């Protein structure tokens, strides 16, 4: 799914020009990397690599749910 997003962004000039500008303005820095990531890195990050991170960061024990509502009197 992420690779599809990267492909769609690469097909849209106003999306890709930002990445090109950032890469030139901030070489070898985090600001110079594409927001969506690079396809070769995403493709190399399989489920076995991501599953432990996902399990520890989205576990219900560490989750906080906040809701807000406007009341009308």
């Amino acid at each position: 799914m992420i690779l599809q997003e990267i492909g769609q962004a690469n097909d849209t000039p106003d999306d890709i020009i930002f990445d090109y500008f950032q890469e030139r303005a901030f070489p070898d820095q985090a600001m110079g990397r594409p927001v969506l990531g690079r396809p070769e890195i995403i493709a190399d990050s399989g489920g076995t690599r991501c599953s432990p991170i996902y399990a520890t960061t989205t576990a219900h024990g560490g989750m906080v749910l906040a809701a807000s509502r406007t009341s009308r009197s």
Side-chain angles (χ1 to χ4, degrees):
M1 186 164 153
I2 296 170
L3 293 175
Q4 290 175 340
E5 286 289 326
I6 293 171
Q8 289 175 351
N10 288 339
D11 290 340
T12 309
D14 56 333
D15 282 347
I16 198 65
I17 195 71
F18 180 77
D19 285 343
Y20 287 149
F21 173 75
Q22 292 293 98
E23 187 176 356
R24 298 291 182 255
F26 303 101
D28 302 320
Q29 297 179 44
M31 286 288 293
R33 296 186 194 118
V35 173
L36 293 174
R38 292 192 173 93
E40 60 274 7
I41 294 173
I42 302 297
D44 188 42
S45 301
T48 57
R49 187 174 181 186
C50 297
S51 292
I53 297 168
Y54 181 78
T56 58
T57 58
T58 61
H60 60 82
M63 186 181 296
V64 175
L65 175 64
S68 167
R69 182 188 155 169
T70 305
S71 65
R72 297 181 195 176
S73 298

